[in-house]
Each structure stands twice: as structure tokens, then as C-alpha cells.
Amino acid sequence: MKTPRIEVTMTPETQEPSGPRCRPPGCNARAAALLAAAAAVFAHASAHAQQAAPTLDQRISAAVQPYSDAVAGVIFYSVPVAGTRFPLIVGWLILAALIFTFYFRFIQLRGFSHAISVVRGHYSDPSMAGEVTPFQALTTAVSGTVGLGNIAGVAVAVSLGGAGATFWMILAGLLGMASKFTEVTLGVKYREVNQAAGTVSGGPMRYLSTGLAELGWPLLGKFLAVFFAVCCIGGAIGGGNMFQSNQSFQQVLSVTGGEASFLAGKGWLFGLVMAILVGLVIIGGIKSIARVTSKVVPFMALLYVTVGLIVLFIHADQILWALGQIVSGAFSAEGVAGGVVGALIQGFKRAAFSNEAGVGSAAIAHSAVQTDQPVSQGFAALLEPFIDTVVICTMTALVIIITGHVDAGGVTALAGDASGVNLTSAAFGSAVSWFPYVLALAVVLFAFSTMITWSYYGLKAWTYLLGESFLSELVFKLMFLAFVVVGSSMSLEPVIDFSDAMIFAMSLANVVGLYFLMPVVKRELTHYLAGLRSGKIPVHT
């Protein structure tokens, strides 16, 4: 539309006088004041506009928040117990572990030495169906659970539950070994082997659908399998990917100068490097992942435990005191919210969230093992919660306690305002000033190994739902790598909270299936032990 032209006729009264323009005194000052006022108003309006315009991650967070809160509120529903909150999902996992422990007559104790023999390859042969060795399967599964929770999560547990939380954490880890035995045995038994492609697909999706169908519950089994697969994909993208990328970047940023670091504001760059490294590994499938984890996991575990042992050696005179704080705090935590129950809840919660026994994720990795005896790999899986919780989590707790940052009553004045990974870093740094750099390296390695393993978990759930094909796998891998960059460069807490809820929602379907199928495991165990006694199951040296 054309704008109409407006003509103004200048009358003699309105015309400018000829010659130089008049500039009375004070004119410049008033003009300057007007300009300054206008600039101030513009700056305020601009700042207000910037504050009013949310960033992309803020918009995503706002959109996801209602759904995230609803799902997390259901999955992590808590009830008040002795002055503290107890998440029912933790009770669900611990109860299952307790039932399996008694049902299989403390298999984690009876079978510990045999588990070591299995991992050493005495009951496996490369000619058997499968893609990886028992040791590689174990390290792959361990890499999926050993992560930031072993460093930051343990610090939170002992801060809230005091030193006594360590005792209950260890106990829960030992109980969880029976859950791992049960789910991994089933994972190998009901796996699907593609002889032509030389690949294996297993995990809860398979034993829930096939195993329950054999018992006459095909619809229930299919529903639980699909539910598990959907939750597994969500957990892989968030908790197994974005959270790991984000927190490892924050730790590297912290030790390289914080806001003054050359990485400040460059989370995308860190994420891009991580995505490239992850991509180079996962492009080769489970064999490539297993080759990397079989080297990275022993290295990172040995590195972390060695540094922890150095700290304990420096404070050797305080070891008995620290152990005393753990035992006394477990049964008389007077300074902790909820007392003894509070310490127990924090310990159980950390163990359940750390080793994921009962969640079912590890069964996916172990299903790729080279074996013809499902129970043998079930024994190997016993070691996973032991390594994750009893060794690595306990080392973190001991370092924090023995350096005086936490005692039976919770955090001490020495800890100050430090919490989470910062509390762990402060504890290590109090012994040797440069240990926080080693801790940062451990965080990155833990995060990297977790991401490559969870990419495999998510992929197997993805292909269960959409079918196995080159295109289907490529789409998931590219999507997974894209979220590595997103996770490190954006703060999407509601998205990650939603994903964490998905991980533990997996246990709702998995544990139900385990209860139905544990008699199957018992028959397999009886047959296996009889084969060992009779010599029908050969020992490979």
C-alpha cells in the first residue's frame, strides 16, 4: 500500500530565520541531558528485552518441565520415613535384590570365586555364539554404571546420611549382585543370534516378550518389553548421554579456570570433540565398544582407586577412626536427618542408583557374550555391583570421610559450602593439590565410557521397536551423537530429570518379569552346577 504524501507549508512565522542559528546559553547542556536520559531508557528497555527473551534451552526446559515433573513425581514418589523421604523405587529395587538373594541362597557369596574364573575365560570359547568375551562383556556393563554417580552421588549420600550411609551402601551393593545374576542369566538364555550377520540381540526386551510368552503371558510380556524399550531409549539419550556430557564439561571447565577458562562459553566445542570420540567407537558396534571398554574401564578404575589409596595412605593414622565413623554412623546417626533410618535410606538410594541392579540395562551388554551357558555369564555379572559400589563408591566415601569433610553426623565445617563433585574434589585436593586434575580426568573417562555403553543399550531398544537395519542403526547413532553436543552446550535439567526417571521406570517392567522368570533361572542354575560337578561343562585353560 502506498503511503500518502503530507505537505507542510511554511508561513513567515514558522520559517527559520536566515543566517546563523541562535544557540542560547544552556541549550547544549539540556540537549546532552535529554540524550543521556534517552540512552538510559533505551539501555533499560534493551536489558529488559534481553531478560524477557528466553534462550533456546530455557524454552525447551519450560516446555518439558510439566511432563518431566509429572513423570519424575510418579517414578521417584517418596514417602516420609523417620523425618526423611524414602523413594519407593529404591524399595522396589532393594526388595527384589533381597528376594533374589534368599531365593538363590546367597549366590553372590557362593559363586564369587567361580565368577572370577568365568571372567578369566575358563568357561568360554571364541567358537561359541556371541560377539565378545566374558571379560569384555563385564567391562562394557561396568562402564555403563560407573559414572558421575560414583563421584558426585556418593558425596551427596554421605553429606545427607553421614558416614554411616557408606555401610548401608555397601550392603545394598552386595544384595544387588543377586539381581544382576538373575537378569543377566535370562538375557543370555533368551537372546537372539543372527548367524548370517554374526550379531546378537538380547536383554529384557527379549526375555520379557519370549520368556513370559512361554509361561502363557504373551500380551503381558509384549507390553512390558515395549515399555522397557521406550524407557531405555529415553534413558540412553538423557542420563546415559546428555547428563554425562554436561557434567564432564562442567568439571573440565572448573579445573581450567571457570569463567576465565578458554572453554568458557564453548560447551559446544567440548561436546563436538566428545561426539567425535564417541562416534569413532560406536560406529563399530558392540565389538568396538567392548575393545575400548576392556582397556578404558580397568585403567580408569585403577587410576581412581590408586589415587584414593594414596589419600588413605597419607591419612593412614585416621583409617580406624574413619571405619569407626562408618559403623557407628550406620547404627546411631544422631546428627543426621532421620537418624539410623536416614543413613540407611541414603546408602540404599546411592547403591541402587549407582549399580542399577534390577534396572535390566546390563543384561543387554552381557547378552553379546561368547558362551553356550547362560548361567556362566550370570556369575560373571555378580562382579559388576561389587566393582561399582563396593569398590569405587566406597573409595569415594572413604576419601571424603578420612580427610575430615564428613563424619558420622554429616558434613563438617571443613567441607564449607562444597557439595557433590566439588566436595569430592575438595577431599582429594586436601591431600595433594593437583589431585583435582586427576579427578577431572576420571570424570571425563567415566562419562565417556558411560556414553558409549548407553549408546549400545539405546540402539538395541531402538532396533527392537523399529527393526534391525543399517539405516535404522545409523539414524539412532547420529541422533545420539547430536545429543552429546546438545548436552554439553545447554542446561536442560527437566529433560535430564525426565530421562533419569525413564532409566528407573525400566526397573518397573524388568523386576516384574524377573519375578515371573526366576524359577527358570533356578532350573538353569541347577543344570549348570550339575554340569560342573559331572565335568560335562569343560574348563578352557
Side-chain angles (χ1 to χ4, degrees):
M1 182 172 61
K2 189 175 180 179
T3 304
R5 183 180 178 187
I6 301 175
E7 295 186 4
V8 178
T9 303
M10 301 293 288
T11 64
E13 292 79 6
T14 59
Q15 288 179 352
E16 288 277 350
S18 60
R21 187 170 182 174
C22 175
R23 297 184 183 275
C27 182
N28 289 340
R30 286 195 298 273
L34 288 172
L35 288 172
V41 171
F42 177 78
H44 177 74
S46 176
H48 179 73
Q50 289 178 354
Q51 292 176 356
T55 61
L56 177 60
D57 57 329
Q58 288 173 336
R59 290 198 296 271
I60 296 174
S61 295
V64 176
Q65 183 89 48
Y67 305 101
S68 172
D69 289 346
V71 173
V74 173
I75 301 301
F76 297 119
Y77 181 77
S78 301
V79 295
V81 178
T84 188
R85 306 291 298 183
F86 180 63
L88 293 182
I89 192 69
V90 174
W92 175 253
L93 292 169
I94 296 298
L95 177 62
L98 195 60
I99 290 173
F100 299 139
T101 294
F102 283 104
Y103 187 76
F104 295 111
R105 296 188 299 115
F106 292 88
I107 191 67
Q108 59 267 63
L109 302 180
R110 294 191 295 128
F112 193 87
S113 61
H114 182 68
I116 296 175
S117 297
V118 172
V119 171
R120 293 177 63 187
H122 292 173
Y123 298 89
S124 179
D125 188 276
S127 63
M128 297 176 180
E131 299 182 75
V132 297
T133 66
F135 176 73
Q136 289 175 327
L138 176 65
T139 55
T140 300
V142 168
S143 72
T145 57
V146 174
L148 298 175
N150 299 74
I151 298 173
V154 172
V156 173
V158 295
S159 295
L160 298 177
T166 308
F167 177 89
W168 300 111
M169 179 179 69
I170 294 172
L171 177 61
L174 293 173
L175 292 174
M177 294 167 71
S179 297
K180 289 283 185 177
F181 168 80
T182 308
E183 60 193 12
V184 168
T185 298
L186 291 171
V188 178
K189 176 176 174 57
Y190 290 103
R191 64 182 179 173
E192 295 183 4
V193 180
N194 187 331
Q195 297 288 359
T199 60
V200 176
S201 295
M205 303 86 67
R206 309 291 174 177
Y207 62 70
L208 288 173
S209 57
T210 307
L212 291 187
E214 290 180 356
L215 297 179
W217 299 90
L219 293 180
L220 176 62
K222 190 67 176 179
F223 169 77
L224 293 176
V226 171
F227 179 84
F228 179 93
V230 171
C231 293
C232 185
I233 294 171
I237 294 296
N241 181 347
M242 294 170 64
F243 176 75
Q244 305 296 327
S245 177
N246 184 283
Q247 293 301 295
S248 58
F249 170 66
Q250 295 301 325
Q251 184 65 15
V252 171
L253 184 67
S254 175
V255 299
T256 55
E259 293 299 322
S261 170
F262 67 96
L263 283 173
K266 298 184 178 66
W268 64 269
L269 180 60
F270 178 87
L272 185 61
V273 173
M274 287 291 281
I276 292 172
L277 294 175
V278 171
L280 290 173
V281 176
I282 69 175
I283 197 70
I286 185 61
K287 290 183 179 179
S288 176
I289 293 172
R291 281 196 299 269
V292 172
T293 58
S294 65
K295 295 177 176 61
V296 171
V297 169
F299 171 76
M300 71 182 188
L302 185 62
L303 172 68
Y304 191 72
V305 172
T306 299
V307 173
L309 288 174
I310 292 173
V311 175
L312 297 184
F313 178 78
I314 293 173
H315 296 276
D317 59 324
Q318 297 293 314
I319 290 179
L320 291 179
W321 171 84
L323 294 176
Q325 290 294 299
I326 291 172
V327 175
S328 64
F331 299 100
S332 61
E334 298 177 0
V336 176
V340 174
V341 177
L344 180 147
I345 289 173
Q346 293 301 327
F348 276 7
K349 183 163 68 173
R350 175 38 36 206
F353 288 0
S354 180
N355 61 49
E356 298 171 11
V359 170
S361 52
I364 301 174
H366 284 283
S367 295
V369 70
Q370 295 167 334
T371 186
D372 57 359
Q373 297 294 331
V375 175
S376 69
Q377 196 60 24
F379 276 108
L382 289 176
L383 300 176
E384 188 184 330
F386 184 84
I387 296 169
D388 174 274
T389 307
V390 180
V391 176
I392 297 179
C393 285
T394 302
M395 183 57 67
T396 301
L398 277 173
V399 168
I400 295 173
I401 295 166
I402 206 168
T403 54
H405 289 76
V406 166
D407 58 20
V411 291
T412 64
L414 183 62
D417 296 329
S419 62
V421 70
N422 292 326
L423 177 58
T424 306
S425 182
F428 276 92
S430 67
V432 179
S433 61
W434 48 267
F435 271 7
Y437 294 98
V438 178
L439 183 64
L441 175 62
V443 167
V444 173
L445 288 175
F446 286 2
F448 173 74
S449 64
T450 298
M451 285 190 284
I452 61 176
T453 296
W454 270 94
S455 73
Y456 180 71
Y457 294 165
L459 175 64
K460 286 302 176 182
W462 176 274
T463 54
Y464 175 79
L465 295 174
L466 302 178
E468 296 188 8
S469 68
F470 174 79
L471 180 60
S472 176
E473 293 187 7
L474 181 62
V475 168
F476 178 82
K477 289 176 181 178
L478 291 176
M479 179 178 68
F480 189 88
L481 295 176
F483 277 106
V484 175
V485 181
V486 172
S488 64
S489 57
M490 304 175 76
S491 179
L492 302 173
E493 291 185 8
V495 177
I496 296 172
D497 290 343
F498 178 82
S499 175
D500 285 344
M502 290 294 96
I503 291 178
F504 288 96
M506 292 159 58
S507 71
L508 297 177
N510 185 55
V511 171
V512 169
L514 296 183
Y515 285 146
F516 274 97
L517 295 168
M518 60 185 189
V520 176
V521 178
K522 196 163 194 175
R523 287 196 298 271
E524 290 286 329
L525 176 61
T526 301
H527 176 76
Y528 180 78
L529 294 178
L532 289 177
R533 288 191 294 268
S534 65
K536 290 182 179 179
I537 297 178
V539 178
H540 302 276
T541 56

